[in-house]
Amino acid sequence: MIKFKVFFDIEKEERWLNEMLTKGWVCSNINSAGLYTFQQTKDFEQVIRIDCQQDLRGEKQVTYMQLHEDFGWRLLKVKSYDGTYYWVKRKDGHDDLFSDHDSHIAKYKRLMKHASNWAILSFIFLMIFDANDSFSSLFSIKNAYFTPGLWEKEGFAFLFAFLFETPFAIMRFIPPWLFLATCSIYITLYYRYRKSIQQFSQ
């Protein structure tokens, strides 16, 4: 079975993958485009955990992976472009990647960095898409139509020009809003992770 899902929050993604496990579906592959491949299983005594390790390279990455494998974790997927690691193992009473306050705090600091990186990247793409017209197309879809004199045309000439350019106008109008929404979501996650750090620090 293949499912399409888009997650911004890896904690929510982790919960969903484990909920699928309780329904008898274990994830066997994760595509960067949001496609999750599941296989049916009768082994409900499994758990999936997700870790974010953006800065692991070379020997540090090998050591990190070997350490988790020594504790029974099997690497399901690693997204090399953002350092997201998906681990699966059979439940044995030690089913969390993070066992103390310090490791949880370190985890949320990495998630804060992950969220801030994606927020900045989304903002950069927003600037690239819409900076030339001072963000006017964000607030008026009319400004996404570039055909000269379109709104002065009448009858069939207007209808033809309007229908011809509408797909291009939509492609100009929607992406800036998507980047703005993505940026806002990651900013929200950044502050939520920071709040989690404060809770563990108390």
Side-chain angles (χ1 to χ4, degrees):
M1 178 176 67
I2 297 177
K3 281 183 171 284
F4 173 76
K5 282 271 188 177
V6 176
F7 289 97
F8 297 95
D9 181 3
I10 69 171
E11 291 186 314
K12 185 176 181 181
E13 181 182 12
E14 182 181 282
R15 286 194 297 271
W16 178 70
L17 290 171
N18 284 293
E19 285 172 5
M20 292 296 293
L21 261 173
T22 64
K23 297 175 182 177
W25 294 97
V26 60
C27 186
S28 58
N29 188 46
I30 301 163
N31 188 291
S32 298
L35 294 176
Y36 294 78
T37 303
F38 292 90
Q39 294 180 345
Q40 216 160 7
T41 181
K42 294 182 179 179
D43 183 5
F44 297 99
E45 295 301 307
Q46 298 182 76
V47 63
I48 292 175
R49 296 289 182 246
I50 306 177
D51 191 16
C52 191
Q53 296 279 352
Q54 306 101 317
D55 299 325
L56 287 183
R57 298 290 186 275
E59 187 175 339
K60 287 184 178 180
Q61 185 183 42
V62 173
T63 302
Y64 166 82
M65 294 171 66
Q66 186 62 55
L67 177 65
H68 284 74
E69 289 170 359
D70 290 344
F71 281 93
W73 293 97
R74 176 174 61 84
L75 185 63
L76 176 62
K77 171 75 176 181
V78 56
K79 293 180 180 177
S80 57
Y81 64 87
D82 70 352
T84 304
Y85 290 77
Y86 296 78
W87 296 98
V88 61
K89 70 177 289 191
R90 298 202 80 252
K91 294 179 180 179
D92 59 4
H94 303 282
D95 305 326
D96 288 319
L97 295 175
F98 313 101
S99 57
D100 54 35
H101 277 29
D102 289 342
S103 60
H104 276 284
I105 290 172
K107 163 195 167 182
Y108 282 114
K109 284 183 177 179
R110 292 193 300 271
L111 289 178
M112 284 175 62
K113 181 178 179 181
H114 178 266
S116 64
N117 287 344
W118 281 107
I120 292 170
L121 186 62
S122 300
F123 183 74
I124 289 173
F125 277 115
L126 172 62
M127 295 294 292
I128 291 172
F129 261 84
D130 232 43
N132 289 337
D133 58 1
S134 302
F135 305 102
S136 59
S137 62
L138 269 175
F139 306 104
S140 174
I141 194 170
K142 277 188 174 183
N143 292 326
Y145 288 83
F146 289 174
T147 300
L150 173 64
W151 306 109
E152 285 73 41
K153 295 180 184 291
E154 296 180 354
F156 180 78
F158 168 77
L159 183 62
F160 177 81
F162 177 78
L163 293 177
F164 177 81
E165 192 173 355
T166 291
F168 302 101
I170 291 173
M171 286 189 289
R172 297 185 195 109
F173 183 76
I174 292 180
W177 278 106
L178 291 177
F179 291 128
L180 181 61
T182 301
C183 183
S184 301
I185 290 170
Y186 279 116
I187 290 173
T188 301
L189 287 173
Y190 176 90
Y191 284 102
R192 204 189 83 190
Y193 296 144
R194 191 170 76 168
K195 184 177 180 180
S196 296
I197 290 177
Q198 293 171 348
Q199 292 173 343
F200 275 104
S201 300
Q202 290 176 353

